Amino acid sequence: MIGIDLGTTNSAVSVIEAGFPIVLADKENRRLLPSLVSKTNDNLYVGHEAIPHTPSQSVKSLIGREEVPPSYNGGPTKIMSGRIQVMAGDTWMSPVQVSAEILKTLKATAEFRLGKEQREAVITVPAYFNDRQRAETKEAAELAGLKVRRLIAEPTAAALAYGLERASENTKIAVYDLGGGTFDLSIIEMRKGNFEVLATAGDTDLGGDDFDTVLAELLDCSISEATEQKRAFDTASSVSGVTAEAYEKACWKLLERSRKCCERALIDSGIKKDGLDRIILVGGSTKMPMVRKHVAEVFQQEPDLCLHPDEAVALGAGIQAGLLDGTVQTLSLIDVTPLSLGIETLGGLMNVIIPRNSTIPCKKGELFTNAVDGQTSMKVKVLQGEREFTKDNWELGEFEVAFTPAPKGQARVGIQFSLDANGILSVLARDTSTQEDTHITIERSTVDITEVAVEKMIDESVDHALDDMDGRVFTEAKMKADELLPSLDEALTLVGEQLDEETKAAILASKSDVIAALESQNGAELKKAVEKLDDATEELASLVMQSILG
Ligand code: ADP
Ligand code: MG
């Protein structure tokens, strides 16, 4: 699947190759396609080839609109049966038809480079595009023979391109996109490969064209000449007798408009300037030194120049396409377990082996013992979740471990969990007396869980923390009580008469406390009662031992 930046001024197409996004070049090795179309004497010209044939320009600012905005300067237009038409060469065309020709050309470039037909695409649109503008963009794609798998916002695409290599970071960035005719500023929060747009602001009538107009006046030349000369300022401090300072001064109104947008977006996002980790520059006009200087002033930090301003949006579209078709596995380099992993122990309780948020890959183990005399095997239930009881967690798998029979509590089984970088869990169980291993691999990735499910599990664990905890205390105390009570009566008959009345009374009182707490199902009370009974029977237990040993 391909990704397309369908720009007002320039367009580009990208794809994931060997895990990385690349912008595809046409037969002449050009990676940017000017968004220009001309149909002259029934010949169709698109991009660079259209330049000498009075092409239609900036049709993106007309797509999905009912009226031509007053600022439109892309050539003659008219309204025909309620729809805008633009003059492309000597032919009237709709903005959808013009866009379709641009998309067809990009599709052909991709097919030429990739050697196979491309039928699906991700296309970027400005964040502020409404339903109609989006619908017409899709219509254009269909005309071009492309099914739109997703439309994504341009700043989000730029953030994706920025985020690909930094997916594990938690950062707040501003994407400053100054193109040919529009300006967009978005503040985006990236957390573990997820993107949230906190605020956007922009000016649909501010871009490189305005800087061309200013320069044309300064140099007293044509707009197209000014466009050429403007680039010279990228490196030169003076062009045709006009100094960079003079040019910058003449552009102050334009820069002031940009400043207002930036400040509004900052206020809307609730983030202070120093709370932004990076300012990413996107769009051809951010190559202008005065724009970079302006950005540094507004945000009080140097902008990040890591992204190619002409290609970032297309690359982001390619990454999104890769995420959809599976060529990019996952953006977030999953580096922690979202939920705890463990096994079930006696009483249906979850025993955590790898706690949530552990960094992966990792390996952890614990020793377990037999609950019953002469037990020859143990069932290992592998669980995932944050709750105390098995029934509230997710069961990932189950297996039997055989071990050498031994008296209760004396067999030793080591259970080891290893989690690889993909979140695949292998469980190993070893009988320490025979060194025999049993292991299983949980095929399902333990980290591939939706954010929603993780959140739900954690919320529930917090909601039920007290109940769960009490439940756990009760279950553990009950197991102890079940062990103590039956042997108590036996012991009393055996050696009871050797105890003084006071001790005997204390034992009986604790015994009835335990029974009462068992009935009332109160964990804390039962735990206390069991401990008291344990203390009270200390002497009794040693008398029993003596009588057994003779
Ligand atoms: P869009 O997103 O609107 O399609 P682009 O991001 O391609 O636009 O930006 C096009 C604008 O960038 C034009 O106004 C062009 O003059 C300007 N531009 C491109 N390269 C340079 C450069 N090297 N120096 C100054 N301006 C440039
Ligand atoms: Mg753009």
Side-chain angles (χ1 to χ4, degrees):
M1 201 189 306
I2 51 177
I4 292 176
D5 169 10
L6 183 61
T8 315
T9 319
N10 295 296
S11 300
V13 56
S14 91
V15 77
I16 298 291
E17 245 182 28
F20 288 94
I22 53 162
V23 169
L24 299 168
D26 66 10
K27 287 186 178 133
E28 275 77 42
N29 269 320
R30 298 171 300 205
R31 294 191 290 190
L32 280 189
L33 177 75
S35 304
L36 304 170
V37 172
S38 168
K39 210 175 201 177
T40 308
N41 299 327
D42 283 333
N43 290 319
L44 185 74
Y45 305 97
V46 182
H48 304 273
E49 282 68 44
I51 296 171
H53 301 283
T54 53
S56 64
Q57 287 183 22
S58 308
V59 297
K60 187 172 168 181
S61 46
L62 302 179
I63 206 158
R65 290 190 191 256
E66 283 168 45
E67 283 168 35
V68 177
S71 58
Y72 183 72
N73 56 5
T77 59
K78 68 169 186 183
I79 305 283
M80 214 173 74
S81 36
R83 295 191 94 172
I84 298 172
Q85 300 279 306
V86 294
M87 185 58 98
D90 60 18
T91 317
W92 289 107
M93 290 172 84
S94 72
V96 169
Q97 287 171 321
V98 172
S99 303
E101 293 306 334
I102 297 166
L103 291 169
K104 264 187 217 164
T105 308
L106 294 170
K107 179 177 186 275
T109 294
E111 288 170 347
F112 164 70
R113 286 290 164 198
L114 302 172
K116 61 172 186 255
E117 200 189 346
Q118 300 296 318
R119 291 205 194 109
E120 295 183 323
V122 168
I123 300 181
T124 59
V125 290
Y128 57 80
F129 253 27
N130 63 28
D131 283 349
R132 204 172 145 167
Q133 290 168 309
R134 285 165 200 260
E136 289 203 359
T137 304
K138 272 191 181 166
E139 203 185 315
E142 269 154 35
L143 272 181
L146 284 170
K147 186 177 176 322
V148 177
R149 284 288 300 274
R150 196 164 293 178
L151 292 176
I152 64 168
E154 286 159 12
T156 308
L160 273 171
Y162 170 77
L164 186 62
E165 288 153 46
R166 302 169 188 80
S168 59
E169 289 176 15
N170 281 350
T171 45
K172 295 192 185 78
I173 63 173
V175 176
Y176 184 103
D177 182 351
L178 189 62
T182 57
F183 169 56
D184 284 289
L185 193 273
S186 305
I187 295 182
I188 296 177
E189 181 166 18
M190 300 199 311
R191 301 175 74 203
K192 299 252 172 284
N194 283 303
F195 298 80
E196 192 188 345
V197 180
L198 301 178
T200 58
D203 191 328
T204 51
D205 192 20
L206 174 66
D209 298 349
D210 300 295
F211 292 80
D212 295 350
T213 311
V214 170
L215 191 60
E217 271 168 33
L218 278 180
L219 293 176
D220 193 19
C221 67
S222 71
I223 296 282
S224 60
E225 224 171 293
T227 309
E228 275 313 303
Q229 300 282 5
K230 182 176 69 172
R231 289 165 196 257
F233 279 105
D234 288 359
T235 47
S237 58
S238 157
V239 176
S240 310
V242 172
T243 64
E245 289 95 68
Y247 183 28
E248 185 180 336
K249 234 183 196 159
C251 294
W252 76 272
K253 267 192 186 161
L254 303 176
L255 297 172
E256 208 42 43
R257 281 161 66 192
S258 145
R259 179 196 307 277
K260 289 228 172 76
C261 288
C262 297
E263 280 165 1
R264 199 171 60 240
L266 276 170
I267 291 169
D268 289 351
S269 72
I271 292 178
K272 295 208 186 74
K273 284 178 189 174
D274 58 9
L276 286 173
D277 299 299
R278 290 261 174 7
I279 319 297
I280 310 295
L281 297 184
V282 181
S285 300
T286 62
K287 286 187 255 179
M288 295 167 74
M290 74 162 99
V291 170
R292 292 183 177 180
K293 195 175 131 212
H294 159 78
V295 171
E297 270 166 25
V298 171
F299 291 97
Q300 284 157 27
Q301 64 172 286
E302 286 300 320
D304 190 303
L305 305 178
C306 64
L307 286 185
H308 193 309
D310 291 331
E311 299 184 355
V313 171
L315 290 174
I319 293 167
Q320 179 64 63
L323 286 167
L324 291 173
D325 72 10
T327 42
V328 174
Q329 274 308 326
T330 161
L331 191 63
S332 50
L333 308 163
I334 298 156
D335 54 358
V336 296
T337 51
L339 293 172
S340 304
L341 293 163
I343 65 166
E344 181 183 56
T345 52
L346 275 180
L349 289 169
M350 157 104 164
N351 184 303
V352 172
I353 295 184
I354 297 180
R356 84 182 211 90
N357 278 336
S358 299
T359 35
I360 57 174
C362 66
K363 220 180 235 184
K364 281 191 182 123
E366 220 172 284
L367 275 179
F368 292 88
T369 186
N370 55 336
V372 184
D373 279 335
Q375 193 181 340
T376 54
S377 76
M378 161 174 154
K379 199 175 257 171
V380 177
K381 237 186 220 173
V382 182
L383 305 171
Q384 179 169 37
E386 302 312 309
R387 303 287 299 276
E388 298 283 354
F389 288 95
T390 306
K391 63 176 172 43
D392 301 316
N393 290 316
W394 302 324
E395 206 178 307
L396 300 180
E398 190 182 271
F399 64 109
E400 287 273 329
V401 188
F403 50 78
T404 327
K408 175 175 183 285
Q410 288 187 12
R412 289 274 177 275
V413 178
I415 304 267
Q416 187 185 64
F417 274 27
S418 38
L419 204 50
D420 73 8
N422 298 316
I424 303 295
L425 176 68
S426 314
V427 183
L428 173 105
R430 174 172 298 168
D431 179 345
T432 53
S433 66
T434 60
Q435 296 292 313
E436 212 157 305
D437 290 343
T438 315
H439 55 256
I440 59 159
T441 299
I442 308 290
E443 294 301 337
R444 202 185 86 198
S445 167
T446 59
V447 289
D448 237 2
I449 309 166
T450 66
E451 194 114 336
V452 181
V454 170
E455 249 165 50
K456 186 161 172 268
M457 173 60 87
I458 292 168
D459 282 353
E460 281 174 1
S461 78
V462 173
D463 289 348
H464 294 284
L466 289 175
D467 303 349
D468 271 14
M469 198 102 75
D470 194 59
R472 178 173 206 116
V473 169
F474 181 82
T475 306
E476 282 170 353
K478 182 174 180 297
M479 286 192 289
K480 193 92 195 273
D482 288 348
E483 195 184 302
L484 280 175
L485 289 177
S487 53
L488 185 62
D489 293 334
E490 240 172 87
L492 282 175
T493 3
L494 193 67
V495 292
E497 77 281 2
Q498 295 177 42
L499 294 170
D500 58 46
E501 282 311 307
E502 204 184 322
T503 314
K504 212 191 262 178
I507 292 174
L508 292 176
S510 321
K511 182 186 163 188
S512 52
D513 282 354
V514 169
I515 292 166
L518 273 173
E519 267 163 17
S520 72
Q521 307 230 329
N522 182 318
E525 251 168 50
L526 182 62
K527 187 174 178 215
K528 226 162 56 194
V530 167
E531 278 166 5
K532 232 171 86 194
L533 181 63
D534 209 21
D535 286 348
T537 53
E538 210 175 299
E539 196 187 337
L540 181 66
S542 74
L543 288 174
V544 170
M545 283 307 278
Q546 280 168 25
S547 90
I548 291 171
L549 296 172

